[in-house]
Amino acid sequence: MDIRFLESFVAVADCGSIAEAARRLNLTPAALSQRLRTLEQDLGHSLVMRAGRRVRPTASGLAVLDHARHLIEGARDLRAIAAQDEPAGQLRLGGIATSLTGLLPGIIARLRARHPRIEYFIRPDSSVNLYHGVISGDLDAAVIVRPQFPVPKSTGWLTLREEPLVLLAPEEADGADPLEMIQSHPFIRYDRNQWGGQIVDRYLRQNEMKLREWLELDALDAIAGLVSRGLGVAIVPDWAPPWPEGLRLQKIALPDAGGRQTGVLWNLSGARISAMQAFVSACRDAETE
């Protein structure tokens, strides 16, 4: 039995969607569905069923789900255990959207050169979901926005980047006072369900802003694109480059705005601790660059 097929089943059970599970595993929905069919043929039972627009485990699927999780975790640990102190095995990482282009590629390239026996799984998601992924042990580490509460003692935290809040305004927009510009132009809000968006919301409330708000979304590059098209202004963290090419906008510092910290949260124990320590070391090198 191929462990990857078990991973596909568990991902579908967790996501409730073949399309979402395929996205997380970097597969096409058709390829993931084929894996499920092969696994069901091996076991002789249907494992998932459709319930409206969702997919959920059958009774047989629920019966094997916890066992499948243990088998997957054990298989991931085997290489790391066999390697003893040498960093090896699969690291399960997560990253917010801006880290996938701005921070993680350099960190992984550095780590790959030092320790070629480490393999990687990378899950893109929001900070809150990735945080819970690390806490539950589903992920070894994640690059996220620092939460506004203490992290558990079973985890470590390293800040990689301080990202102050900035005002994005169209290139042709006039105005010497950024606070006045925010209130006099249509406002594009960074999603308040995101930890970074909550930091922006706190700044707006502290300054008692009266907004002409017309749109709220959680994609920072899309927000920058809308501002560049002259559709409004926005407050965002000054995230790590690259930014979208061809933007025609102003990036204006805000008074006493604070910002967000982007960093890595990781588990301090586990069978893959040697690989995890090597990853954190590569992150520390990125912090000093």
Side-chain angles (χ1 to χ4, degrees):
M1 183 180 298
D2 194 323
I3 289 295
R4 294 174 300 174
F5 294 2
L6 287 176
E7 289 177 333
S8 298
F9 163 60
V10 170
V12 170
D14 288 344
C15 295
S17 163
I18 288 178
E20 174 63 17
R23 184 183 70 83
R24 291 192 178 186
L25 295 175
N26 296 317
L27 296 170
T28 65
L32 189 145
S33 295
Q34 181 58 50
R35 285 186 176 186
L36 284 177
R37 285 193 293 270
T38 301
L39 182 62
E40 288 174 334
Q41 290 170 2
D42 285 346
L43 295 178
H45 296 277
S46 296
L47 299 178
V48 297
M49 60 183 288
R50 291 199 173 274
R53 296 185 177 181
R54 307 291 291 172
V55 178
R56 67 180 187 183
T58 62
S60 295
L62 288 172
V64 304
L65 184 56
D66 285 342
H67 295 285
R69 294 188 196 277
H70 291 309
L71 285 170
I72 293 167
E73 188 66 20
R76 289 174 188 160
D77 291 345
L78 282 176
R79 290 182 182 176
I81 293 170
Q84 297 180 357
D85 290 335
E86 181 183 350
Q90 186 189 70
L91 275 179
R92 294 183 62 81
L93 307 174
I96 57 175
T98 53
S99 76
L100 296 178
T101 56
L103 292 171
L104 270 175
I107 292 169
I108 292 175
R110 183 180 295 105
L111 187 57
R112 180 74 172 163
R114 295 175 182 172
H115 304 290
R117 295 184 62 188
I118 297 177
E119 300 173 355
Y120 305 89
F121 168 86
I122 302 177
R123 171 179 149 191
D125 213 326
S126 66
S127 288
V128 62
N129 289 340
L130 294 174
Y131 170 85
H132 288 296
V134 173
I135 300 305
S136 68
D138 185 49
L139 297 174
D140 297 308
V143 178
I144 63 173
V145 175
R146 184 169 192 165
Q148 301 299 298
F149 49 83
V151 300
K153 293 181 179 179
S154 60
T155 63
W157 172 264
L158 174 67
T159 298
L160 298 176
R161 182 177 168 86
E162 300 278 353
E163 299 177 334
L165 296 183
V166 294
L167 172 64
L168 301 185
E171 190 175 55
E172 66 277 5
D174 294 326
D177 182 357
L179 300 185
E180 192 278 331
M181 291 179 68
I182 293 168
Q183 297 177 93
S184 62
H185 289 76
F187 188 75
I188 303 169
R189 182 187 283 273
Y190 183 19
D191 185 3
R192 283 166 285 191
N193 290 315
Q194 307 302 315
W195 284 347
Q198 291 168 14
I199 295 171
V200 172
D201 183 62
R202 191 176 305 117
Y203 175 76
L204 293 169
R205 287 188 285 105
Q206 287 172 349
N207 286 275
E208 299 180 342
M209 296 283 190
K210 296 181 179 179
L211 304 174
R212 296 165 54 194
E213 181 178 339
W214 72 281
L215 179 62
E216 182 171 359
L217 73 164
D218 67 356
L220 290 173
D221 54 353
I223 291 174
L226 291 166
V227 173
S228 179
R229 292 279 185 165
L231 296 175
V233 300
I235 299 175
V236 298
D238 191 7
W239 73 87
W243 284 46
E245 294 184 1
L247 293 175
R248 300 180 60 186
L249 52 75
Q250 307 174 57
K251 188 190 297 185
I252 304 168
L254 291 169
D256 303 317
R260 74 178 188 182
Q261 292 181 343
T262 296
V264 58
L265 179 77
W266 73 93
N267 281 310
L268 294 174
S269 61
R272 296 178 293 278
I273 190 62
S274 293
M276 192 66 260
Q277 289 171 343
F279 174 73
V280 174
S281 177
C283 290
R284 292 189 191 280
D285 291 343
E287 179 196 18
T288 60
E289 289 182 350

